[in-house]
Amino acid sequence: MVLETEKKQKKYKVIGTRPIRPDGLDKVTGRARFGADIDLPGMLHGAILRSPHAHAHIVRIDTSKAAALPGVKAVVTNADFPHVPAEELSLGEGAVNLVHLRQNVLAEDKVLYHGHAVAAVAATSAHIATEALRLIDVTYELLEPVLDVRDAMKQGSPILHADLRTRDMGKDGDIPSNIASHLHFELGDADHAFGEADVVIEREFTTRMVHQGYIEPHNATVSWDEDDHLTIWMSTQGAFNVRDQMARLLRLPVHNVRVVPMEIGGGFGGKISVYLPPVGAILSHKTGRPVKLVMNRTEVLEATGPTSGSYIKLKMGATKDGRLIAARGELAYEAGAFPGSPVGAGCMTMLGPYDIANATIDGYDVVVNKPRVAAYRAPGAPISAFACESVVDELAEQLGIDPLQFRLQNASKEGTRQLRGTTFPPIGNVAMIKAALASDHYNAPLEGPNRGRGVANGFWFNAGMQSSLNASVNGDGTVSLIEGNTDIGGTRASIAMQLAETLGIPMEAVRPTVVDTDSVGYNAVTGGSRITFASGWAAYECGMDIRRLMCARAAAIWDLGEDDVEYVDGVIRARKDAAKKFTFAELAGRINSTGAPIIGNASVSPQTVGGAFALHIADVEVDPETGKVQVLRYTAFQDPGTAIHPAYVEGQMQGGASQGIGWALNEEYYYNADGTLANASFLDYRMPTTLDLPMIDAVMVETPNPGHPYGVRGVGEVPIVPPLATIANAVYRATGVRFRDLPISPRRVLKETQGLE
Amino acid sequence: MSERVQIQATINGEPVQFLAEPRQSLLEALRDELGMTGAKEGCGNGNCGACNVILDGRLVDSCIVLAAEVEGRLLTTIEGIAQGNHLHPLQQAFLEEAALQCGVCTPGFIVAAKALLDRTPHPTEDQVRHWLAGNLCRCTGYDKIVRAVLRASESTEANA
Amino acid sequence: MQAIAYQSAKSIDEAVSVLRQWGERARVLSGGTDLIAQLREGRRHDVEVVLDIKSIPEARELRYSPGQGLYLGAAVPCYRIYEDAAIARAYPALADSAALIGGIQIQSRAAIGGNLCNASPAADAIPSLIALGATCEIAGPNGRRTLPVEQFCIGPGRSALEQNEFLVALRLPSPAAQSGSCFLRFIPRNEMDIAVANAAVALTLNPAKDRITAARVAIGAVAPTPLLVPEAAAALIGAPLTEATLERAAEAARAAARPITDMRGSIAQRRHLARVLTRRAIESAIQRAKES
C-alpha cells in the first residue's frame, strides 16, 4: 500500500508502476546462473579444512598424506600467500586491515574461532577434496577462548592479538587489549540535562551473534592464467570490491583481476568481504587449472557473516510533559576474531528517530573468539534500536503517554541535529508516525488473554557511494543498459525504470545487463541501500546524456541549432516548428545513417542520501505454558522517498521485518563452553518458516528525497531496525515482562515468567 | 574415485541415462552430471527445500536422495515445469506478485508449490503455509510467495 | 564424503547376506533423510556400503485391518500413514508423528522404521510407537525375532539390533473401542525443528466414556531414550476424568523425565514441557476417544 504525499502517478509514467522484473523469467525457470552453477573445462574442486577449536596456536600442519591421495592436485596454507602490509582497505560497508583479511582467509599462526580456515585442497572432485581434508594433520596448542564481549573487555582476559592496542580518540593504547577501539560521541550536555529530567530510566541489554542467513552459500571459481591474469566467477555484492581486495592481497595490478558477478542468492551485507577467492586463486596458481570452491551450510554459519553480539547500557531521561531530553549510552559490540564491528553505526543511528538535545554515547569494538563479523542489513542499528526503543517504550509507559504519541511528540524532523553533528534534511519520520497512529492496525482492538501489541521506530543513514553505467540506443528504439551492480532484489528493474522515465519510453524498451569488472566503470557495493538511489541517479544522468545526444542529432538532421530542439515525454521536437518532431524510436532508427552511435554514459557519487525511517507494529500471543511467542499481525511503515517499484519496496520491508522477527524470537549463535558453535545448521539456527510469520502489511509513506532527481531514498536496510524492540515491546504487553536479552526464545520466556532456569 | 554406476530415469518426460558415483546425491547428479543447475543446494541436509524435485509424484529434497536410488523412476525438476515456451501459472504468478528477490530459493518453492497444486488445486492460505514450511526464503518474509501460490491456484490452467 | 557402494536388496535373505558380508561397514537405508545427511556431513566415516531395503516387499508393505492391526514395513514413508484415512483414524498418535517429522519433502521419504532405528532421544515417532504398544520385527543371521518397541532404544543413537540384524517391520495391535491417542512435541518454531520435549498418549475409555480403562504414556527428548511412563498410565487407569487425574498423570511424566541441558533446551524447561505436553496429549486423546 502506498500513501502518497505527492500525486506521483500524475507526475511519472514508469516510476510507481509494478512491471515484471527483467531477470524474473530466468529465475522462475531455473535458468539463472548463480555462482555455484559454473562449470569450466579442466576445473578442479576445492575444500577447506577448518579449526575444531576456538582459540589455539598452530604448531604444525602436515599436508603430505593429503597431497598423496589420488586425485588431489594441490594443498595450500597461509604460507602460500604473499606478504601484505597492514593497510586498511575500504569495503563500502566497513573496512578491513589487509593482514587481518589474509589471516581470516587462512589462519597464520593462530586459529581464532571454531571454523577458522586452516588449509585447503584442490582435487578432481569435491568428494575427493573433502576426503583429503581428513588426511591433513594439524597440531594445535590450545588456548583459553573468550566468548563474551564483557569478558573480553576485562583486564586479564585471554588476548586474541598480541599486537592489538585500543585506538581511542585517534591514539593507540600501550598494552595489548581485545578492545580494538573506543568511540565517543557527544551532543549538548547530557549530565546537566539528566538533572532536569523528571523520569530517568537506565537499563542493560544483551544480544547474541546472528547470521544474515542467505540461502545461497558462498562460492568462487578462480582461474589464474599463465600471464598472471585472474578471472573470478562468484556471487558477490561487490564485484569491484572483490577485484580490489584480490589485487591487494595477491599484490597484482588491478587490471589483472576480472570479477564476473554471477546471480547472487542473497547477501544482506555478508557477501562483500572475500573468503573463498584468495584460496581459489592460490590453488589455481599452483595447479594451473580453474578451481571451484563452494561452502556448505556449516561453513557458512561457522566462518562467514554474522553480525555482532552485544552489551548495551542505556539511560534516558524525559520531562513529565513527555519531552526526551537526555541520553547516556555505552555500547560494546563483538567484532568476532578481528576488529571491525559496526558499533559506530550502532551509536550514531540509535537516537535517529528522536529530537533529543543532549546525549553522550560511548562505543567499544571488541574482539572475541567467534567468526569475524560482516555487515548485516543496517549494520549495528537493530541492536542499538532494540535498547533505545525498549527504554523509550518504558518511559512512555511511566509517563502515561501512548507509545506512538510519545514517539510522535519527540520525533526527529528536518533540521534536527543528529549525534554525528549534522542536521536532518527533509525526512518522513513525522508523516510516517502519523500514518501509523491513524492506521487500522493500531486502532484495531486486540482481544484475548496473553496477547500484546508493540511498536518501535528505527533509523538508518543509507549510503551513496559510486555508480557507473552506460546505455546504447538501438535502431528500433530499444535501449541496452549496461550496469555493474549485482541485482539482489530487483535493482535491474528499479534502475531500468528510472532510465525509461528519463527517456520517456516504456520500461520494457530498456534491457539491463549486469556485466563484469572489465566491462563497465567502477561501482561500489550493492549495499547501504544505495543501488536504486545512486545507480538510479546514474541512470537518470545517463538518460539526460542520451537526451542531449538525441537532441543534437535531430538538430543536425533539421539543420537547427541544438538549443532549438527540445526533448519532451520521449519526443524530440523543434521548439518553433511543430511539424518537426521524432518519436524516440523514429530518431533511433536514423542514428546510424546520420552519424555516430548514441551511447549515454554516467558516473556519479551522490551524497544527499536522505535517511530512512521505519516504524513497525506487532501483535503477539504468548503461550504461557510453553513460552512460545506467535506473531499474529504485523505492519511495517516506512518512508521510501519515492517508491520506484512499489512491489519490490514492499518486498524489502517484509523481508527486513521477517529477519528482525527471527532475530527477536529464535535466532542466535549458541556456543558451547569450549567455544565451539553448537547450532551451525538450518535445523538448529532457527530462521522463520512460512508457519512462523503472518502476512506482513507494508505501508509506504512517501516523503520524496529532495536530494535525488526522482526523490529516492534507500529502502533495503531500515526495515530490519525496528522489529527487535517491536516484538519485545509486544511480548511485554502480553506477559508483563520486559525482555532485554535476545532472543525471546521459549526457553527464555519460561525462565523470566516462571523462573525455570 | 569410486566406481560410477549407470542410472536410467525419466526426467521431465525424457528418458535419461547417466553415470554417477554411489556417493553422489541426486542433486549432485542433476547439477554436475546432467547440467541441470536449476535445483540449488542451500543446506545439504534437507532443511531448506532449495533442491526440491518431484520424484514419482512426491516432493523430495534431492540433496538427501542418492542418485542411485532413482533408477527407473520419474523425476520432475524446475526445468520441466514450463511447457515449452509457456510458463506454468505458478511461474507467471511469481513474476506478477514479485514473489522473488534474490531468486535462489525460487526454483524450490515453485517445484514445491506445483506438488501442492497437483494434489490440492485450491488450497487455503493455511494449507499453503503448511506445505511450504520446508522451504526457506530469507528475502521475502513469504508474504508475496504465499500470495503468488494462491493466485496461481485461481488459474484453471494450474489444475490441468 | 568417502566412497561408498550402493546395494538394493530385493529380499530379507539378500539383505541379511549383505549385512553378514559387510558387518559394521554397512548401513541400512530406508528413507535416508537421516543417514544420507549424516554421511554427507562426515559423521559416518566408517560406512562403506549403503543397503537400500525399499525394494524388499516386507519392508515396504503397509496393511491394516481392524482384526489384525497394523503391519508397518520399516521403509514405508510417513505420508502413506497419514494419507490412509483408516490408519490415521485407528492410530492418530502415529499419524500425528508422521505429519510432524520434517516438512512435506521429508515425509515423502522418511520412514517410521528409520526414525526408530536412528534411536534419537528426541525422535518424533518413537513415543507414539511406545504408547500404541508396537512390536518390532527384526531379521538377522539367526532368523527372525520380535521385541517390544520400548526395549528397542538403549541409548542415544544406539538400538537393540544385534550385529547384522535389521528392522523389517513394526506391528501395532488394533485399538479397542473408545480408544484415542495423541502425539505432541514442542519446538521453538512451528516446523523443522528437533523436539525440545515430546509426549504420546494412547488410552481407552469405558463404554460410558467417563473413565479410562487402559492407557500408555511415553515421553521423549527428556532422557537418553524415549521413555514409557507406567506411573503416568497408572494415574489415569480407573480414575475419573477430572482435572486432578490429568494433573497427577502429567506430574508423573514430569517426575520420570531426566533430561540434560543443551542448545535445544534446559533441564527445567524440558521437565516442565514433559508435564505440559503429557497433559495436553491426554486431553486430546480423551477427546479423540470420545469421538471415535
Side-chain angles (χ1 to χ4, degrees):
Chain A
M1 177 169 42
V2 188
L3 300 181
E4 291 162 297
T5 51
E6 277 189 40
K7 284 289 162 229
K8 182 180 59 179
Q9 298 305 342
K10 283 185 190 154
K11 203 167 155 187
Y12 300 127
K13 290 197 169 68
V14 178
I15 289 171
T17 64
R18 300 178 178 227
I20 287 174
R21 58 194 281 178
D23 52 324
L25 187 62
D26 282 350
K27 288 178 178 165
V28 299
T29 53
R31 282 200 297 269
R33 303 277 286 168
F34 289 76
D37 300 338
I38 277 284
D39 191 16
L40 298 173
M43 188 174 81
L44 299 173
H45 298 264
I48 294 183
L49 180 70
R50 295 179 181 280
S51 169
H53 308 297
H55 197 188
H57 283 297
I58 299 173
V59 178
R60 198 176 60 95
I61 304 176
D62 181 351
T63 60
S64 55
K65 272 186 266 172
L69 184 72
V72 170
K73 301 297 177 187
V75 187
V76 296
T77 66
N78 180 282
D80 292 286
F81 283 124
H83 280 280
V84 291
E87 292 170 1
E88 287 285 313
L89 177 63
S90 169
L91 297 179
E93 290 201 308
V96 68
N97 177 304
L98 275 181
V99 171
H100 291 160
L101 183 60
R102 198 187 80 152
Q103 289 173 340
N104 191 48
V105 164
L106 280 173
E108 196 165 6
D109 51 350
K110 273 179 103 179
V111 290
L112 295 166
Y113 55 93
H114 175 213
H116 196 161
V118 172
V121 173
T124 50
S125 86
H127 284 294
I128 293 173
T130 310
E131 277 185 275
L133 297 182
R134 297 184 57 232
L135 301 175
I136 299 174
D137 191 11
V138 185
T139 309
Y140 295 100
E141 180 186 306
L142 298 193
L143 299 167
E144 188 190 342
V146 58
L147 300 167
D148 177 84
V149 66
R150 279 164 294 179
D151 293 341
M153 292 171 77
K154 284 178 192 150
Q155 292 270 342
S157 153
I159 291 289
L160 271 74
H161 303 276
D163 58 348
L164 186 65
R165 303 289 182 273
T166 304
R167 174 152 291 193
D168 195 341
M169 312 292 280
K171 279 196 221 144
D172 286 350
D174 45 20
I175 51 164
S177 171
N178 293 323
I179 304 172
S181 61
H182 168 220
L183 310 171
H184 182 75
F185 301 89
E186 265 191 59
L187 184 68
D189 183 346
D191 285 344
H192 177 77
F194 275 116
E196 298 186 343
D198 299 304
V199 186
V200 175
I201 289 177
E202 183 176 49
R203 299 288 181 242
E204 291 179 281
F205 300 86
T206 50
T207 67
R208 310 297 158 85
M209 277 188 168
V210 294
H211 198 271
Q212 293 81 349
Y214 31 79
I215 305 299
E216 178 207 35
H218 291 257
N219 55 75
T221 303
V222 187
S223 178
W224 187 316
D225 296 344
E226 293 81 351
D227 62 355
D228 288 342
H229 280 78
L230 246 71
T231 307
I232 304 160
W233 295 261
M234 69 182 295
S235 309
T236 172
Q237 290 176 249
F240 290 85
N241 292 76
V242 171
R243 182 191 67 175
D244 294 351
Q245 289 176 72
M246 292 296 282
R248 295 280 288 277
L249 275 175
L250 301 171
R251 317 212 69 173
L252 290 170
V254 169
H255 79 318
N256 277 33
V257 181
R258 181 169 73 104
V259 178
V260 183
M262 306 296 289
E263 297 301 332
I264 180 170
F268 313 108
K271 289 180 182 164
I272 299 173
S273 185
V274 291
Y275 300 96
L276 298 176
V279 180
I282 53 174
L283 286 170
S284 177
H285 191 43
K286 273 204 163 180
T287 58
R289 292 164 70 169
V291 177
K292 176 176 176 177
L293 286 150
V294 182
M295 288 192 191
N296 61 36
R297 181 54 52 182
T298 301
E299 294 180 284
V300 171
L301 289 166
E302 284 179 354
T304 75
T307 194
S308 306
S310 70
Y311 163 80
I312 295 180
K313 183 155 80 176
L314 177 63
K315 180 162 89 166
M316 295 181 83
T319 58
K320 58 177 176 289
D321 59 343
R323 216 158 29 89
L324 279 172
I325 57 168
R328 170 84 186 86
E330 198 180 302
L331 289 68
Y333 280 24
E334 294 167 359
F338 299 96
S341 80
V343 69
C347 293
M348 289 187 282
T349 54
M350 182 163 70
L351 304 171
Y354 301 104
D355 182 353
I356 183 163
N358 307 286
T360 303
I361 308 288
D362 287 284
Y364 300 91
D365 180 31
V366 184
V367 295
V368 293
N369 290 112
K370 300 185 192 177
R372 167 177 158 252
V373 301
Y376 180 17
R377 203 168 199 159
I383 299 167
S384 61
F386 167 55
C388 176
E389 292 296 312
S390 296
V391 172
V392 164
D393 210 62
E394 218 176 322
L395 280 170
E397 186 189 23
Q398 286 209 10
L399 290 162
I401 304 173
D402 172 89
L404 264 188
Q405 195 63 46
F406 185 68
R407 285 171 171 84
L408 178 63
Q409 66 198 45
N410 288 288
S412 55
K413 50 182 94 56
E414 183 177 1
T416 299
R417 185 160 296 280
Q418 296 176 261
L419 191 63
R420 54 177 175 164
T422 53
T423 56
F424 276 120
I427 49 175
N429 193 21
V430 168
M432 178 188 72
I433 300 172
K434 284 181 175 167
L437 263 166
S439 67
D440 172 67
H441 186 172
Y442 200 62
N443 292 290
L446 178 60
E447 284 155 2
N450 307 309
R451 293 181 170 191
R453 175 171 296 159
V455 300
N457 203 337
F459 163 68
W460 180 247
F461 317 115
N462 292 335
M465 300 193 267
Q466 304 78 22
S467 287
S468 310
L469 50 73
N470 61 72
S472 305
V473 181
N474 304 317
D476 60 353
T478 61
V479 176
S480 300
L481 169 61
I482 301 300
E483 47 174 280
N485 301 118
T486 306
D487 183 351
I488 288 197
T491 54
R492 282 185 184 88
S494 68
I495 297 169
M497 287 171 76
Q498 292 180 74
L499 180 60
E501 185 72 47
T502 308
L503 293 175
I505 60 177
M507 190 269 194
E508 292 70 25
V510 179
R511 182 69 185 178
T513 303
V514 177
V515 297
D516 66 64
T517 53
D518 279 356
S519 306
V520 68
Y522 181 83
N523 280 276
V525 289
T526 297
S529 305
R530 62 168 223 95
I531 299 304
T532 299
F533 170 79
S535 297
W537 191 323
Y540 166 79
E541 296 290 354
C542 176
M544 296 307 284
D545 198 24
I546 290 172
R547 284 168 56 149
R548 278 190 294 277
L549 293 166
M550 296 285 272
C551 286
R553 183 62 53 89
I557 291 170
W558 293 325
D559 205 14
L560 292 171
E562 283 183 29
D563 290 346
D564 296 328
V565 178
E566 62 181 0
Y567 193 111
V568 179
D569 285 345
V571 174
I572 301 95
R573 66 190 189 196
R575 286 180 196 276
K576 292 173 187 160
D577 182 351
K580 285 192 167 66
K581 62 175 182 183
F582 289 118
T583 64
F584 185 84
E586 285 166 354
L587 183 54
R590 298 186 58 169
I591 288 174
N592 286 352
S593 60
T594 55
I598 289 182
I599 301 168
N601 276 288
S603 51
V604 300
S605 180
Q607 309 293 319
T608 47
V609 292
F613 292 85
L615 190 139
H616 291 185
I617 307 174
D619 295 351
V620 304
E621 179 170 328
V622 181
D623 181 335
E625 281 196 312
T626 64
K628 186 153 154 177
V629 177
Q630 187 70 27
V631 182
L632 304 174
R633 183 175 180 183
Y634 202 95
T635 307
F637 298 83
Q638 187 171 324
D639 169 21
T642 302
I644 300 295
H645 192 309
Y648 284 100
V649 176
E650 290 165 356
Q652 291 295 321
M653 295 166 69
Q654 292 161 338
S658 65
Q659 282 183 316
I661 292 168
W663 195 339
L665 290 179
N666 277 311
E667 293 180 33
E668 64 176 314
Y669 268 38
Y670 190 98
Y671 280 92
N672 298 316
D674 63 359
T676 52
L677 181 61
N679 61 337
S681 73
F682 272 160
L683 183 62
D684 290 312
Y685 183 81
R686 302 186 180 101
M687 309 200 309
T689 71
T690 47
L691 288 174
D692 300 310
L693 296 169
M695 289 295 187
I696 295 169
D697 293 327
V699 183
M700 293 166 276
V701 190
E702 296 186 304
T703 301
N705 173 12
H708 186 275
Y710 292 122
V712 173
R713 293 174 199 277
V715 299
E717 289 169 293
V718 75
I720 200 175
V721 182
L724 285 56
T726 304
I727 296 291
N729 291 338
V731 172
Y732 163 68
R733 287 180 176 79
T735 62
V737 177
R738 291 239 176 233
F739 286 84
R740 303 189 183 96
D741 185 18
L742 294 186
I744 310 170
S745 60
R747 182 173 180 171
R748 205 153 287 145
V749 172
L750 282 184
K751 181 180 167 198
E752 296 299 327
T753 58
Q754 305 203 17
L756 292 169
E757 276 303 324
Chain B
M1 171 151 341
S2 62
E3 205 168 310
R4 291 155 76 87
V5 293
Q6 184 175 307
I7 297 156
Q8 301 188 39
T10 302
I11 305 182
N12 300 327
E14 300 282 332
V16 174
Q17 281 189 16
F18 61 97
L19 294 172
E21 289 184 57
R23 64 178 159 187
Q24 281 183 297
S25 66
L26 173 58
L27 177 63
E28 287 171 322
L30 288 171
R31 291 176 54 84
D32 302 337
E33 308 303 326
L34 294 163
M36 301 173 76
T37 56
K40 307 298 181 191
E41 178 166 322
C43 68
N45 53 14
N47 285 293
C48 79
C51 63
N52 279 181
V53 300
I54 299 172
L55 178 59
D56 285 345
R58 307 299 309 191
L59 185 67
V60 300
D61 293 312
S62 64
C63 70
I64 46 172
V65 176
L66 293 178
E69 288 183 87
V70 305
E71 171 66 32
R73 301 177 70 181
L74 293 174
L75 269 171
T76 303
T77 71
I78 184 65
E79 288 87 353
I81 300 293
Q83 297 299 311
N85 280 331
H86 197 56
L87 291 183
H88 187 277
L90 275 164
Q91 294 171 312
Q92 193 63 35
F94 269 63
L95 291 176
E96 288 170 5
E97 290 286 334
L100 59 143
Q101 284 179 33
C102 79
V104 81
C105 71
T106 309
F109 268 97
I110 288 176
V111 170
K114 173 158 192 313
L116 168 65
L117 297 190
D118 286 349
R119 310 174 59 75
T120 311
H122 299 288
T124 62
E125 180 190 331
D126 199 45
Q127 286 175 310
V128 173
R129 286 187 181 275
H130 270 93
W131 189 271
L132 296 179
N135 294 79
L136 289 176
C137 169
R138 190 62 158 172
C139 296
T140 65
Y142 307 108
D143 183 301
K144 292 183 189 300
I145 291 175
V146 173
R147 288 179 200 279
V149 176
L150 291 170
R151 177 172 176 161
S153 75
E154 290 160 11
S155 153
T156 48
E157 255 185 294
N159 314 322
Chain C
M1 65 185 261
Q2 73 275 21
I4 53 165
Y6 168 84
Q7 296 207 21
S8 177
K10 303 282 180 293
S11 69
I12 291 173
D13 288 349
E14 187 187 349
V16 169
S17 95
V18 171
L19 291 171
R20 287 174 81 152
Q21 184 188 343
W22 291 91
E24 290 292 290
R25 292 172 294 162
R27 291 294 297 183
V28 171
L29 171 73
S30 52
T33 53
D34 281 315
L35 177 62
I36 297 172
Q38 289 165 3
L39 287 168
R40 292 177 52 84
E41 289 162 11
R43 290 190 280 141
R44 291 274 182 190
H45 289 304
D46 50 335
V47 174
E48 292 176 31
V49 173
V50 164
L51 172 63
D52 190 344
I53 60 165
K54 286 193 290 294
S55 297
I56 301 174
E58 292 91 333
R60 68 174 186 210
E61 184 172 359
L62 179 67
R63 187 175 72 229
Y64 168 68
S65 71
Q68 302 285 308
L70 182 69
Y71 177 94
L72 170 57
V76 171
C78 287
Y79 76 89
R80 287 181 60 194
I81 293 166
Y82 62 73
E83 286 188 0
D84 185 314
I87 294 173
R89 207 165 35 244
Y91 306 97
L94 186 65
D96 292 339
S97 291
L100 281 174
I101 291 175
I104 296 294
Q105 299 89 334
I106 299 294
Q107 292 158 19
S108 296
R109 297 252 300 158
I112 297 292
N115 190 252
L116 175 63
C117 291
N118 203 40
S120 161
D124 286 323
I126 304 176
S128 294
L129 293 172
I130 294 175
L132 292 166
T135 305
C136 307
E137 294 205 350
I138 295 165
N142 303 319
R144 310 283 285 268
R145 69 180 176 116
T146 61
L147 187 72
V149 75
E150 58 268 30
Q151 293 172 26
F152 188 85
C153 298
I154 57 175
R158 292 192 302 125
S159 76
L161 287 177
E162 302 284 342
Q163 176 104 21
N164 305 338
E165 282 188 331
F166 77 104
L167 180 74
V168 177
L170 292 151
R171 281 188 190 275
L172 278 69
S174 275
Q178 279 102 237
S179 288
S181 66
C182 175
F183 170 80
L184 293 174
R185 71 169 178 193
F186 180 77
I187 56 174
R189 290 186 289 186
N190 289 311
E191 181 64 78
M192 310 240 297
D193 262 334
I194 305 286
V196 179
N198 60 27
V201 173
L203 51 76
T204 304
L205 300 180
N206 63 356
K209 297 185 177 178
D210 59 3
R211 248 171 229 281
I212 296 167
T213 57
R216 283 169 72 89
V217 175
I219 54 178
V222 291
T225 64
L227 296 177
L228 177 68
V229 190
E231 302 83 357
L236 294 173
I237 296 167
L241 300 182
T242 61
E243 283 287 309
T245 301
L246 269 55
E247 268 311 311
R248 262 199 305 281
E251 184 51 35
R254 198 196 73 84
R258 38 194 171 85
I260 57 166
T261 290
D262 64 12
M263 66 172 162
R264 298 194 178 111
S266 71
I267 291 171
Q269 178 193 16
R270 285 182 157 131
R271 283 181 177 280
H272 170 80
L273 288 171
R275 184 181 68 74
V276 171
L277 295 172
T278 300
R279 162 76 193 250
R280 290 180 180 182
I282 294 168
E283 288 173 1
S284 170
I286 291 171
Q287 193 57 37
R288 286 170 171 178
K290 285 180 176 171
E291 289 164 3
S292 72

